[in-house]
Amino acid sequence: AQTVTQSQPEMSVQEAETVTLSCTYDTSESDYYLFWYKQPPSRQMILVIRQEAYKQQNATENRFSVNFQKAAKSFSLKISDSQLGDAAMYFCAYRSNTDKLIFGTGTRLQVFP
Amino acid sequence: KAGVTQTPRYLIKTRGQQVTLSCSPISGHRSVSWYQQTPGQGLQFLFEYFSETQRNKGNFPGRFSGRQFSNSRSEMNVSTLELGDSALYLCASSFGTSGVETQYFGPGTRLLVL
């Protein structure tokens, strides 16, 4: 069965600095998609970034970028120039064509001024 | 374009009662998925509907059921509520034509069972 692991329950970063959140996954599929979702205190789940497994190029969305290592089954999220509004729970998620969306346990990110 | 809406936002019920939660997807989206979020179990998939048919189902007891209407709106029902059903219930929608489309989430319904 596919699993998603986030080994950092909590992380903290100073405003304007860079932080990297880790995610590993396990799958026997070759075609799948990976996501990072952000859940602020309002509890609304917001898509941060998405990566297709068949693409070698790492996805980037403004200050957010990923380091996708398919062979290592690793999918980390880098947040550059951190802002106070980035404080939230971050969930890594996996989905293949034949399966449901599977979430990791989340990483709580604190941003200090 | 309006986002995913869920009603009600908060609900308090007592054990043994039943509850119905509603989800309206983004206009044009035909797939609706439901998730349960608790501090202990995290985010768990309940079921997915597409064009009024259940397309995928998670490992929840039969007390949890759902349906989807012709306008893509979806409801989930929990019968004989237990204390452990207290959770945030999230609904997500997507176009549904591909199994790996991005899902967009609603604000959730927070259910408290006393």
Side-chain angles (χ1 to χ4, degrees), chain A residues 33 35 37 39 42-45 47 50 91 95-101 103, chain B residues 35 37 43 45 48 56 88 90 98-103 105-107 110:
Chain A
Y33 295 72
F35 306 85
Y37 281 92
Q39 189 178 42
S42 68
R43 308 300 270 170
Q44 175 96 41
M45 197 76 79
L47 176 71
R50 160 190 166 125
F91 291 94
R95 185 169 188 179
S96 69
N97 277 316
T98 58
D99 209 345
K100 56 189 179 292
L101 190 61
F103 287 91
Chain B
Y35 298 85
Q37 186 177 23
L43 279 151
F45 171 78
E48 177 186 11
N56 214 336
L88 179 69
L90 293 166
S98 161
V100 289
E101 292 163 346
T102 298
Q103 296 187 353
F105 284 79
R110 185 172 292 282

PDB file of all heavy atoms in Angstrom, chain A residues 33 35 37 39 42-45 47 50 91 95-101 103, chain B residues 35 37 43 45 48 56 88 90 98-103 105-107 110:
ATOM      1  N   TYR A  33       1.188  11.463  -8.910  1.00  0.00           N
ATOM      2  CA  TYR A  33       1.269  12.890  -8.698  1.00  0.00           C
ATOM      3  C   TYR A  33       1.499  13.169  -7.218  1.00  0.00           C
ATOM      4  O   TYR A  33       0.991  12.445  -6.361  1.00  0.00           O
ATOM      5  CB  TYR A  33      -0.019  13.584  -9.159  1.00  0.00           C
ATOM      6  CG  TYR A  33      -0.227  13.470 -10.649  1.00  0.00           C
ATOM      7  CD1 TYR A  33      -0.595  12.258 -11.228  1.00  0.00           C
ATOM      8  CD2 TYR A  33      -0.050  14.568 -11.477  1.00  0.00           C
ATOM      9  CE1 TYR A  33      -0.772  12.148 -12.594  1.00  0.00           C
ATOM     10  CE2 TYR A  33      -0.233  14.463 -12.839  1.00  0.00           C
ATOM     11  CZ  TYR A  33      -0.579  13.250 -13.395  1.00  0.00           C
ATOM     12  OH  TYR A  33      -0.755  13.144 -14.739  1.00  0.00           O
ATOM     13  N   PHE A  35       1.634  16.318  -4.153  1.00  0.00           N
ATOM     14  CA  PHE A  35       1.096  17.634  -3.832  1.00  0.00           C
ATOM     15  C   PHE A  35       1.616  18.092  -2.470  1.00  0.00           C
ATOM     16  O   PHE A  35       1.896  17.286  -1.589  1.00  0.00           O
ATOM     17  CB  PHE A  35      -0.440  17.591  -3.750  1.00  0.00           C
ATOM     18  CG  PHE A  35      -1.122  17.018  -4.955  1.00  0.00           C
ATOM     19  CD1 PHE A  35      -1.290  15.642  -5.083  1.00  0.00           C
ATOM     20  CD2 PHE A  35      -1.617  17.849  -5.950  1.00  0.00           C
ATOM     21  CE1 PHE A  35      -1.934  15.098  -6.195  1.00  0.00           C
ATOM     22  CE2 PHE A  35      -2.259  17.314  -7.057  1.00  0.00           C
ATOM     23  CZ  PHE A  35      -2.412  15.941  -7.180  1.00  0.00           C
ATOM     24  N   TYR A  37      -0.058  20.651   0.324  1.00  0.00           N
ATOM     25  CA  TYR A  37      -1.189  21.467   0.724  1.00  0.00           C
ATOM     26  C   TYR A  37      -0.834  22.204   2.007  1.00  0.00           C
ATOM     27  O   TYR A  37      -0.107  21.694   2.864  1.00  0.00           O
ATOM     28  CB  TYR A  37      -2.434  20.606   0.981  1.00  0.00           C
ATOM     29  CG  TYR A  37      -3.180  20.167  -0.257  1.00  0.00           C
ATOM     30  CD1 TYR A  37      -2.895  18.954  -0.872  1.00  0.00           C
ATOM     31  CD2 TYR A  37      -4.188  20.958  -0.797  1.00  0.00           C
ATOM     32  CE1 TYR A  37      -3.602  18.541  -1.998  1.00  0.00           C
ATOM     33  CE2 TYR A  37      -4.904  20.555  -1.917  1.00  0.00           C
ATOM     34  CZ  TYR A  37      -4.597  19.346  -2.508  1.00  0.00           C
ATOM     35  OH  TYR A  37      -5.307  18.941  -3.629  1.00  0.00           O
ATOM     36  N   GLN A  39      -2.534  24.160   5.364  1.00  0.00           N
ATOM     37  CA  GLN A  39      -3.762  24.317   6.142  1.00  0.00           C
ATOM     38  C   GLN A  39      -3.510  25.331   7.254  1.00  0.00           C
ATOM     39  O   GLN A  39      -2.957  24.998   8.297  1.00  0.00           O
ATOM     40  CB  GLN A  39      -4.229  22.977   6.724  1.00  0.00           C
ATOM     41  CG  GLN A  39      -5.605  23.055   7.363  1.00  0.00           C
ATOM     42  CD  GLN A  39      -6.088  21.708   7.892  1.00  0.00           C
ATOM     43  OE1 GLN A  39      -5.331  20.956   8.486  1.00  0.00           O
ATOM     44  NE2 GLN A  39      -7.361  21.390   7.665  1.00  0.00           N
ATOM     45  N   SER A  42      -7.385  28.692   9.860  1.00  0.00           N
ATOM     46  CA  SER A  42      -8.777  28.699   9.385  1.00  0.00           C
ATOM     47  C   SER A  42      -9.242  27.313   8.972  1.00  0.00           C
ATOM     48  O   SER A  42     -10.445  27.085   8.793  1.00  0.00           O
ATOM     49  CB  SER A  42      -8.925  29.641   8.185  1.00  0.00           C
ATOM     50  OG  SER A  42      -8.228  29.119   7.063  1.00  0.00           O
ATOM     51  N   ARG A  43      -8.300  26.366   8.814  1.00  0.00           N
ATOM     52  CA  ARG A  43      -8.560  24.967   8.461  1.00  0.00           C
ATOM     53  C   ARG A  43      -8.850  24.750   6.976  1.00  0.00           C
ATOM     54  O   ARG A  43      -9.098  23.630   6.555  1.00  0.00           O
ATOM     55  CB  ARG A  43      -9.709  24.377   9.292  1.00  0.00           C
ATOM     56  CG  ARG A  43      -9.547  24.566  10.775  1.00  0.00           C
ATOM     57  CD  ARG A  43      -8.310  23.922  11.313  1.00  0.00           C
ATOM     58  NE  ARG A  43      -8.537  22.562  11.732  1.00  0.00           N
ATOM     59  CZ  ARG A  43      -7.579  21.711  12.072  1.00  0.00           C
ATOM     60  NH1 ARG A  43      -6.331  22.065  12.001  1.00  0.00           N
ATOM     61  NH2 ARG A  43      -7.878  20.491  12.460  1.00  0.00           N
ATOM     62  N   GLN A  44      -8.866  25.828   6.198  1.00  0.00           N
ATOM     63  CA  GLN A  44      -9.083  25.667   4.751  1.00  0.00           C
ATOM     64  C   GLN A  44      -7.829  25.087   4.113  1.00  0.00           C
ATOM     65  O   GLN A  44      -6.745  25.659   4.223  1.00  0.00           O
ATOM     66  CB  GLN A  44      -9.393  27.035   4.120  1.00  0.00           C
ATOM     67  CG  GLN A  44      -9.503  26.998   2.617  1.00  0.00           C
ATOM     68  CD  GLN A  44     -10.934  26.879   2.145  1.00  0.00           C
ATOM     69  OE1 GLN A  44     -11.818  27.524   2.695  1.00  0.00           O
ATOM     70  NE2 GLN A  44     -11.169  26.077   1.143  1.00  0.00           N
ATOM     71  N   MET A  45      -7.946  23.966   3.462  1.00  0.00           N
ATOM     72  CA  MET A  45      -6.825  23.303   2.807  1.00  0.00           C
ATOM     73  C   MET A  45      -6.557  23.988   1.466  1.00  0.00           C
ATOM     74  O   MET A  45      -7.435  24.050   0.607  1.00  0.00           O
ATOM     75  CB  MET A  45      -7.169  21.831   2.588  1.00  0.00           C
ATOM     76  CG  MET A  45      -5.989  20.945   2.289  1.00  0.00           C
ATOM     77  SD  MET A  45      -5.018  20.574   3.754  1.00  0.00           S
ATOM     78  CE  MET A  45      -6.041  19.304   4.469  1.00  0.00           C
ATOM     79  N   LEU A  47      -4.010  24.357  -1.934  1.00  0.00           N
ATOM     80  CA  LEU A  47      -2.952  23.750  -2.729  1.00  0.00           C
ATOM     81  C   LEU A  47      -1.774  24.711  -2.836  1.00  0.00           C
ATOM     82  O   LEU A  47      -1.948  25.871  -3.201  1.00  0.00           O
ATOM     83  CB  LEU A  47      -3.466  23.401  -4.121  1.00  0.00           C
ATOM     84  CG  LEU A  47      -2.404  22.837  -5.076  1.00  0.00           C
ATOM     85  CD1 LEU A  47      -2.002  21.431  -4.638  1.00  0.00           C
ATOM     86  CD2 LEU A  47      -2.913  22.826  -6.510  1.00  0.00           C
ATOM     87  N   ARG A  50       2.189  21.317  -7.053  1.00  0.00           N
ATOM     88  CA  ARG A  50       1.902  19.984  -7.561  1.00  0.00           C
ATOM     89  C   ARG A  50       3.039  19.537  -8.475  1.00  0.00           C
ATOM     90  O   ARG A  50       3.607  20.355  -9.208  1.00  0.00           O
ATOM     91  CB  ARG A  50       0.573  20.049  -8.312  1.00  0.00           C
ATOM     92  CG  ARG A  50       0.301  18.931  -9.307  1.00  0.00           C
ATOM     93  CD  ARG A  50      -0.912  19.250 -10.138  1.00  0.00           C
ATOM     94  NE  ARG A  50      -1.000  18.388 -11.288  1.00  0.00           N
ATOM     95  CZ  ARG A  50      -2.064  17.646 -11.576  1.00  0.00           C
ATOM     96  NH1 ARG A  50      -3.122  17.654 -10.799  1.00  0.00           N
ATOM     97  NH2 ARG A  50      -2.083  16.887 -12.652  1.00  0.00           N
ATOM     98  N   PHE A  91       0.840  19.699   4.480  1.00  0.00           N
ATOM     99  CA  PHE A  91       0.623  18.276   4.226  1.00  0.00           C
ATOM    100  C   PHE A  91       1.168  17.900   2.852  1.00  0.00           C
ATOM    101  O   PHE A  91       0.872  18.556   1.846  1.00  0.00           O
ATOM    102  CB  PHE A  91      -0.871  17.931   4.270  1.00  0.00           C
ATOM    103  CG  PHE A  91      -1.477  18.036   5.631  1.00  0.00           C
ATOM    104  CD1 PHE A  91      -2.108  19.203   6.039  1.00  0.00           C
ATOM    105  CD2 PHE A  91      -1.426  16.963   6.512  1.00  0.00           C
ATOM    106  CE1 PHE A  91      -2.680  19.302   7.304  1.00  0.00           C
ATOM    107  CE2 PHE A  91      -1.989  17.050   7.776  1.00  0.00           C
ATOM    108  CZ  PHE A  91      -2.605  18.222   8.174  1.00  0.00           C
ATOM    109  N   ARG A  95      -1.055  10.777  -5.062  1.00  0.00           N
ATOM    110  CA  ARG A  95      -2.191  10.124  -5.709  1.00  0.00           C
ATOM    111  C   ARG A  95      -1.736   9.522  -7.030  1.00  0.00           C
ATOM    112  O   ARG A  95      -0.980  10.144  -7.779  1.00  0.00           O
ATOM    113  CB  ARG A  95      -3.344  11.094  -5.957  1.00  0.00           C
ATOM    114  CG  ARG A  95      -4.571  10.383  -6.518  1.00  0.00           C
ATOM    115  CD  ARG A  95      -5.798  11.241  -6.524  1.00  0.00           C
ATOM    116  NE  ARG A  95      -6.963  10.430  -6.906  1.00  0.00           N
ATOM    117  CZ  ARG A  95      -8.206  10.912  -6.974  1.00  0.00           C
ATOM    118  NH1 ARG A  95      -8.457  12.162  -6.672  1.00  0.00           N
ATOM    119  NH2 ARG A  95      -9.195  10.123  -7.328  1.00  0.00           N
ATOM    120  N   SER A  96      -2.204   8.329  -7.306  1.00  0.00           N
ATOM    121  CA  SER A  96      -1.971   7.714  -8.609  1.00  0.00           C
ATOM    122  C   SER A  96      -3.287   7.664  -9.364  1.00  0.00           C
ATOM    123  O   SER A  96      -4.332   8.017  -8.828  1.00  0.00           O
ATOM    124  CB  SER A  96      -1.393   6.305  -8.454  1.00  0.00           C
ATOM    125  OG  SER A  96      -2.386   5.440  -7.922  1.00  0.00           O
ATOM    126  N   ASN A  97      -3.241   7.201 -10.597  1.00  0.00           N
ATOM    127  CA  ASN A  97      -4.458   7.132 -11.413  1.00  0.00           C
ATOM    128  C   ASN A  97      -5.503   6.213 -10.811  1.00  0.00           C
ATOM    129  O   ASN A  97      -6.694   6.385 -11.030  1.00  0.00           O
ATOM    130  CB  ASN A  97      -4.120   6.634 -12.814  1.00  0.00           C
ATOM    131  CG  ASN A  97      -3.619   7.756 -13.693  1.00  0.00           C
ATOM    132  OD1 ASN A  97      -4.179   8.843 -13.691  1.00  0.00           O
ATOM    133  ND2 ASN A  97      -2.559   7.501 -14.410  1.00  0.00           N
ATOM    134  N   THR A  98      -5.046   5.226 -10.066  1.00  0.00           N
ATOM    135  CA  THR A  98      -5.964   4.185  -9.583  1.00  0.00           C
ATOM    136  C   THR A  98      -6.228   4.266  -8.092  1.00  0.00           C
ATOM    137  O   THR A  98      -6.817   3.360  -7.521  1.00  0.00           O
ATOM    138  CB  THR A  98      -5.383   2.792  -9.905  1.00  0.00           C
ATOM    139  OG1 THR A  98      -4.100   2.689  -9.282  1.00  0.00           O
ATOM    140  CG2 THR A  98      -5.254   2.593 -11.399  1.00  0.00           C
ATOM    141  N   ASP A  99      -5.791   5.339  -7.445  1.00  0.00           N
ATOM    142  CA  ASP A  99      -5.894   5.359  -5.987  1.00  0.00           C
ATOM    143  C   ASP A  99      -6.430   6.694  -5.496  1.00  0.00           C
ATOM    144  O   ASP A  99      -6.550   7.659  -6.236  1.00  0.00           O
ATOM    145  CB  ASP A  99      -4.527   5.088  -5.366  1.00  0.00           C
ATOM    146  CG  ASP A  99      -4.640   4.404  -4.013  1.00  0.00           C
ATOM    147  OD1 ASP A  99      -5.741   4.400  -3.432  1.00  0.00           O
ATOM    148  OD2 ASP A  99      -3.615   3.887  -3.543  1.00  0.00           O
ATOM    149  N   LYS A 100      -6.756   6.711  -4.240  1.00  0.00           N
ATOM    150  CA  LYS A 100      -7.250   7.916  -3.611  1.00  0.00           C
ATOM    151  C   LYS A 100      -6.076   8.814  -3.225  1.00  0.00           C
ATOM    152  O   LYS A 100      -4.918   8.418  -3.281  1.00  0.00           O
ATOM    153  CB  LYS A 100      -8.024   7.539  -2.354  1.00  0.00           C
ATOM    154  CG  LYS A 100      -7.197   6.706  -1.369  1.00  0.00           C
ATOM    155  CD  LYS A 100      -8.049   6.181  -0.253  1.00  0.00           C
ATOM    156  CE  LYS A 100      -7.254   5.338   0.738  1.00  0.00           C
ATOM    157  NZ  LYS A 100      -6.794   4.084   0.162  1.00  0.00           N
ATOM    158  N   LEU A 101      -6.401  10.037  -2.828  1.00  0.00           N
ATOM    159  CA  LEU A 101      -5.383  10.975  -2.347  1.00  0.00           C
ATOM    160  C   LEU A 101      -4.964  10.558  -0.940  1.00  0.00           C
ATOM    161  O   LEU A 101      -5.803  10.415  -0.052  1.00  0.00           O
ATOM    162  CB  LEU A 101      -5.978  12.387  -2.342  1.00  0.00           C
ATOM    163  CG  LEU A 101      -5.030  13.558  -2.107  1.00  0.00           C
ATOM    164  CD1 LEU A 101      -3.972  13.636  -3.191  1.00  0.00           C
ATOM    165  CD2 LEU A 101      -5.835  14.858  -2.049  1.00  0.00           C
ATOM    166  N   PHE A 103      -2.561  11.347   2.364  1.00  0.00           N
ATOM    167  CA  PHE A 103      -1.856  12.449   3.019  1.00  0.00           C
ATOM    168  C   PHE A 103      -0.823  11.947   4.014  1.00  0.00           C
ATOM    169  O   PHE A 103      -0.992  10.890   4.635  1.00  0.00           O
ATOM    170  CB  PHE A 103      -2.851  13.335   3.777  1.00  0.00           C
ATOM    171  CG  PHE A 103      -3.710  14.191   2.903  1.00  0.00           C
ATOM    172  CD1 PHE A 103      -4.944  13.731   2.464  1.00  0.00           C
ATOM    173  CD2 PHE A 103      -3.301  15.462   2.530  1.00  0.00           C
ATOM    174  CE1 PHE A 103      -5.751  14.520   1.668  1.00  0.00           C
ATOM    175  CE2 PHE A 103      -4.105  16.255   1.728  1.00  0.00           C
ATOM    176  CZ  PHE A 103      -5.330  15.779   1.296  1.00  0.00           C
TER     177      PHE A 103
ATOM    178  N   TYR B  35     -13.262  13.757   3.188  1.00  0.00           N
ATOM    179  CA  TYR B  35     -12.189  13.346   4.072  1.00  0.00           C
ATOM    180  C   TYR B  35     -12.576  13.654   5.516  1.00  0.00           C
ATOM    181  O   TYR B  35     -13.262  14.625   5.790  1.00  0.00           O
ATOM    182  CB  TYR B  35     -10.891  14.105   3.759  1.00  0.00           C
ATOM    183  CG  TYR B  35     -10.370  13.855   2.364  1.00  0.00           C
ATOM    184  CD1 TYR B  35     -10.837  14.602   1.290  1.00  0.00           C
ATOM    185  CD2 TYR B  35      -9.419  12.873   2.125  1.00  0.00           C
ATOM    186  CE1 TYR B  35     -10.379  14.373   0.006  1.00  0.00           C
ATOM    187  CE2 TYR B  35      -8.948  12.638   0.845  1.00  0.00           C
ATOM    188  CZ  TYR B  35      -9.438  13.393  -0.208  1.00  0.00           C
ATOM    189  OH  TYR B  35      -8.976  13.157  -1.474  1.00  0.00           O
ATOM    190  N   GLN B  37     -10.828  14.502   9.186  1.00  0.00           N
ATOM    191  CA  GLN B  37      -9.567  14.917   9.804  1.00  0.00           C
ATOM    192  C   GLN B  37      -9.714  14.936  11.315  1.00  0.00           C
ATOM    193  O   GLN B  37     -10.567  15.655  11.861  1.00  0.00           O
ATOM    194  CB  GLN B  37      -9.128  16.296   9.301  1.00  0.00           C
ATOM    195  CG  GLN B  37      -7.747  16.699   9.810  1.00  0.00           C
ATOM    196  CD  GLN B  37      -7.274  18.025   9.256  1.00  0.00           C
ATOM    197  OE1 GLN B  37      -8.076  18.866   8.834  1.00  0.00           O
ATOM    198  NE2 GLN B  37      -5.969  18.222   9.218  1.00  0.00           N
ATOM    199  N   LEU B  43      -5.651  12.884   8.261  1.00  0.00           N
ATOM    200  CA  LEU B  43      -6.600  13.018   7.161  1.00  0.00           C
ATOM    201  C   LEU B  43      -6.862  11.649   6.542  1.00  0.00           C
ATOM    202  O   LEU B  43      -5.956  11.009   6.032  1.00  0.00           O
ATOM    203  CB  LEU B  43      -6.031  13.946   6.085  1.00  0.00           C
ATOM    204  CG  LEU B  43      -6.172  15.429   6.349  1.00  0.00           C
ATOM    205  CD1 LEU B  43      -5.053  16.199   5.686  1.00  0.00           C
ATOM    206  CD2 LEU B  43      -7.515  15.925   5.838  1.00  0.00           C
ATOM    207  N   PHE B  45      -9.388   9.376   3.894  1.00  0.00           N
ATOM    208  CA  PHE B  45     -10.319   9.418   2.778  1.00  0.00           C
ATOM    209  C   PHE B  45     -11.583   8.628   3.110  1.00  0.00           C
ATOM    210  O   PHE B  45     -11.511   7.490   3.587  1.00  0.00           O
ATOM    211  CB  PHE B  45      -9.627   8.824   1.553  1.00  0.00           C
ATOM    212  CG  PHE B  45     -10.507   8.598   0.369  1.00  0.00           C
ATOM    213  CD1 PHE B  45     -10.884   9.650  -0.445  1.00  0.00           C
ATOM    214  CD2 PHE B  45     -10.953   7.327   0.056  1.00  0.00           C
ATOM    215  CE1 PHE B  45     -11.682   9.440  -1.548  1.00  0.00           C
ATOM    216  CE2 PHE B  45     -11.752   7.100  -1.049  1.00  0.00           C
ATOM    217  CZ  PHE B  45     -12.121   8.166  -1.852  1.00  0.00           C
ATOM    218  N   GLU B  48     -15.375   9.000  -2.770  1.00  0.00           N
ATOM    219  CA  GLU B  48     -15.345   9.917  -3.905  1.00  0.00           C
ATOM    220  C   GLU B  48     -16.533   9.608  -4.802  1.00  0.00           C
ATOM    221  O   GLU B  48     -16.840   8.442  -5.067  1.00  0.00           O
ATOM    222  CB  GLU B  48     -14.055   9.775  -4.711  1.00  0.00           C
ATOM    223  CG  GLU B  48     -14.016  10.673  -5.942  1.00  0.00           C
ATOM    224  CD  GLU B  48     -12.803  10.420  -6.826  1.00  0.00           C
ATOM    225  OE1 GLU B  48     -12.096   9.414  -6.597  1.00  0.00           O
ATOM    226  OE2 GLU B  48     -12.572  11.226  -7.742  1.00  0.00           O
ATOM    227  N   ASN B  56     -14.818   5.626  -5.522  1.00  0.00           N
ATOM    228  CA  ASN B  56     -13.779   5.106  -4.646  1.00  0.00           C
ATOM    229  C   ASN B  56     -14.275   5.184  -3.208  1.00  0.00           C
ATOM    230  O   ASN B  56     -15.078   6.082  -2.877  1.00  0.00           O
ATOM    231  CB  ASN B  56     -12.508   5.944  -4.801  1.00  0.00           C
ATOM    232  CG  ASN B  56     -11.239   5.115  -4.647  1.00  0.00           C
ATOM    233  OD1 ASN B  56     -11.242   4.067  -4.018  1.00  0.00           O
ATOM    234  ND2 ASN B  56     -10.159   5.607  -5.215  1.00  0.00           N
ATOM    235  N   LEU B  88     -13.184  17.136  11.854  1.00  0.00           N
ATOM    236  CA  LEU B  88     -13.400  18.100  10.784  1.00  0.00           C
ATOM    237  C   LEU B  88     -13.629  17.289   9.516  1.00  0.00           C
ATOM    238  O   LEU B  88     -12.804  16.451   9.157  1.00  0.00           O
ATOM    239  CB  LEU B  88     -12.183  19.009  10.618  1.00  0.00           C
ATOM    240  CG  LEU B  88     -12.261  20.057   9.504  1.00  0.00           C
ATOM    241  CD1 LEU B  88     -13.293  21.131   9.850  1.00  0.00           C
ATOM    242  CD2 LEU B  88     -10.890  20.699   9.283  1.00  0.00           C
ATOM    243  N   LEU B  90     -13.906  17.354   5.592  1.00  0.00           N
ATOM    244  CA  LEU B  90     -13.519  18.173   4.452  1.00  0.00           C
ATOM    245  C   LEU B  90     -14.051  17.583   3.166  1.00  0.00           C
ATOM    246  O   LEU B  90     -14.021  16.370   2.956  1.00  0.00           O
ATOM    247  CB  LEU B  90     -11.995  18.284   4.366  1.00  0.00           C
ATOM    248  CG  LEU B  90     -11.313  19.053   5.496  1.00  0.00           C
ATOM    249  CD1 LEU B  90      -9.813  18.800   5.477  1.00  0.00           C
ATOM    250  CD2 LEU B  90     -11.586  20.547   5.359  1.00  0.00           C
ATOM    251  N   SER B  98     -10.014  13.032 -14.976  1.00  0.00           N
ATOM    252  CA  SER B  98      -8.770  12.289 -14.778  1.00  0.00           C
ATOM    253  C   SER B  98      -8.618  12.026 -13.296  1.00  0.00           C
ATOM    254  O   SER B  98      -8.901  12.890 -12.483  1.00  0.00           O
ATOM    255  CB  SER B  98      -7.572  13.099 -15.279  1.00  0.00           C
ATOM    256  OG  SER B  98      -6.378  12.611 -14.716  1.00  0.00           O
ATOM    257  N   GLY B  99      -8.173  10.836 -12.951  1.00  0.00           N
ATOM    258  CA  GLY B  99      -8.077  10.486 -11.540  1.00  0.00           C
ATOM    259  C   GLY B  99      -7.056  11.290 -10.764  1.00  0.00           C
ATOM    260  O   GLY B  99      -7.073  11.279  -9.539  1.00  0.00           O
ATOM    261  N   VAL B 100      -6.193  12.009 -11.430  1.00  0.00           N
ATOM    262  CA  VAL B 100      -5.132  12.694 -10.692  1.00  0.00           C
ATOM    263  C   VAL B 100      -5.231  14.209 -10.826  1.00  0.00           C
ATOM    264  O   VAL B 100      -4.250  14.907 -10.709  1.00  0.00           O
ATOM    265  CB  VAL B 100      -3.746  12.218 -11.150  1.00  0.00           C
ATOM    266  CG1 VAL B 100      -3.518  10.809 -10.676  1.00  0.00           C
ATOM    267  CG2 VAL B 100      -3.597  12.327 -12.657  1.00  0.00           C
ATOM    268  N   GLU B 101      -6.415  14.689 -11.065  1.00  0.00           N
ATOM    269  CA  GLU B 101      -6.574  16.139 -11.099  1.00  0.00           C
ATOM    270  C   GLU B 101      -6.419  16.724  -9.709  1.00  0.00           C
ATOM    271  O   GLU B 101      -6.690  16.060  -8.709  1.00  0.00           O
ATOM    272  CB  GLU B 101      -7.955  16.487 -11.632  1.00  0.00           C
ATOM    273  CG  GLU B 101      -8.141  16.140 -13.088  1.00  0.00           C
ATOM    274  CD  GLU B 101      -9.597  16.126 -13.442  1.00  0.00           C
ATOM    275  OE1 GLU B 101     -10.436  16.118 -12.530  1.00  0.00           O
ATOM    276  OE2 GLU B 101      -9.898  16.104 -14.643  1.00  0.00           O
ATOM    277  N   THR B 102      -6.031  17.964  -9.665  1.00  0.00           N
ATOM    278  CA  THR B 102      -5.904  18.660  -8.381  1.00  0.00           C
ATOM    279  C   THR B 102      -7.271  18.790  -7.738  1.00  0.00           C
ATOM    280  O   THR B 102      -8.252  19.151  -8.391  1.00  0.00           O
ATOM    281  CB  THR B 102      -5.285  20.039  -8.599  1.00  0.00           C
ATOM    282  OG1 THR B 102      -3.982  19.861  -9.149  1.00  0.00           O
ATOM    283  CG2 THR B 102      -5.190  20.795  -7.282  1.00  0.00           C
ATOM    284  N   GLN B 103      -7.329  18.509  -6.467  1.00  0.00           N
ATOM    285  CA  GLN B 103      -8.565  18.664  -5.711  1.00  0.00           C
ATOM    286  C   GLN B 103      -8.534  19.981  -4.951  1.00  0.00           C
ATOM    287  O   GLN B 103      -7.524  20.336  -4.352  1.00  0.00           O
ATOM    288  CB  GLN B 103      -8.733  17.503  -4.733  1.00  0.00           C
ATOM    289  CG  GLN B 103      -8.900  16.166  -5.427  1.00  0.00           C
ATOM    290  CD  GLN B 103      -9.238  15.046  -4.464  1.00  0.00           C
ATOM    291  OE1 GLN B 103      -9.226  15.206  -3.259  1.00  0.00           O
ATOM    292  NE2 GLN B 103      -9.533  13.889  -5.018  1.00  0.00           N
ATOM    293  N   PHE B 105     -10.289  22.190  -1.926  1.00  0.00           N
ATOM    294  CA  PHE B 105     -11.001  21.872  -0.701  1.00  0.00           C
ATOM    295  C   PHE B 105     -11.929  22.993  -0.247  1.00  0.00           C
ATOM    296  O   PHE B 105     -11.676  24.172  -0.468  1.00  0.00           O
ATOM    297  CB  PHE B 105     -10.007  21.587   0.427  1.00  0.00           C
ATOM    298  CG  PHE B 105      -9.362  20.238   0.311  1.00  0.00           C
ATOM    299  CD1 PHE B 105      -8.313  20.027  -0.571  1.00  0.00           C
ATOM    300  CD2 PHE B 105      -9.806  19.168   1.078  1.00  0.00           C
ATOM    301  CE1 PHE B 105      -7.723  18.775  -0.687  1.00  0.00           C
ATOM    302  CE2 PHE B 105      -9.220  17.922   0.974  1.00  0.00           C
ATOM    303  CZ  PHE B 105      -8.175  17.718   0.087  1.00  0.00           C
ATOM    304  N   GLY B 106     -12.987  22.583   0.429  1.00  0.00           N
ATOM    305  CA  GLY B 106     -13.874  23.515   1.099  1.00  0.00           C
ATOM    306  C   GLY B 106     -13.351  23.833   2.492  1.00  0.00           C
ATOM    307  O   GLY B 106     -12.334  23.280   2.925  1.00  0.00           O
ATOM    308  N   PRO B 107     -14.053  24.699   3.225  1.00  0.00           N
ATOM    309  CA  PRO B 107     -13.592  25.121   4.545  1.00  0.00           C
ATOM    310  C   PRO B 107     -13.833  24.084   5.634  1.00  0.00           C
ATOM    311  O   PRO B 107     -13.309  24.206   6.737  1.00  0.00           O
ATOM    312  CB  PRO B 107     -14.424  26.387   4.825  1.00  0.00           C
ATOM    313  CG  PRO B 107     -15.663  26.173   4.032  1.00  0.00           C
ATOM    314  CD  PRO B 107     -15.254  25.419   2.806  1.00  0.00           C
ATOM    315  N   ARG B 110     -17.098  21.254  11.046  1.00  0.00           N
ATOM    316  CA  ARG B 110     -16.580  20.716  12.308  1.00  0.00           C
ATOM    317  C   ARG B 110     -17.728  20.093  13.071  1.00  0.00           C
ATOM    318  O   ARG B 110     -18.674  20.786  13.452  1.00  0.00           O
ATOM    319  CB  ARG B 110     -15.910  21.805  13.127  1.00  0.00           C
ATOM    320  CG  ARG B 110     -15.250  21.280  14.395  1.00  0.00           C
ATOM    321  CD  ARG B 110     -14.428  22.354  15.092  1.00  0.00           C
ATOM    322  NE  ARG B 110     -13.261  22.747  14.321  1.00  0.00           N
ATOM    323  CZ  ARG B 110     -12.130  22.036  14.262  1.00  0.00           C
ATOM    324  NH1 ARG B 110     -12.015  20.903  14.906  1.00  0.00           N
ATOM    325  NH2 ARG B 110     -11.116  22.487  13.557  1.00  0.00           N
TER     326      ARG B 110
END
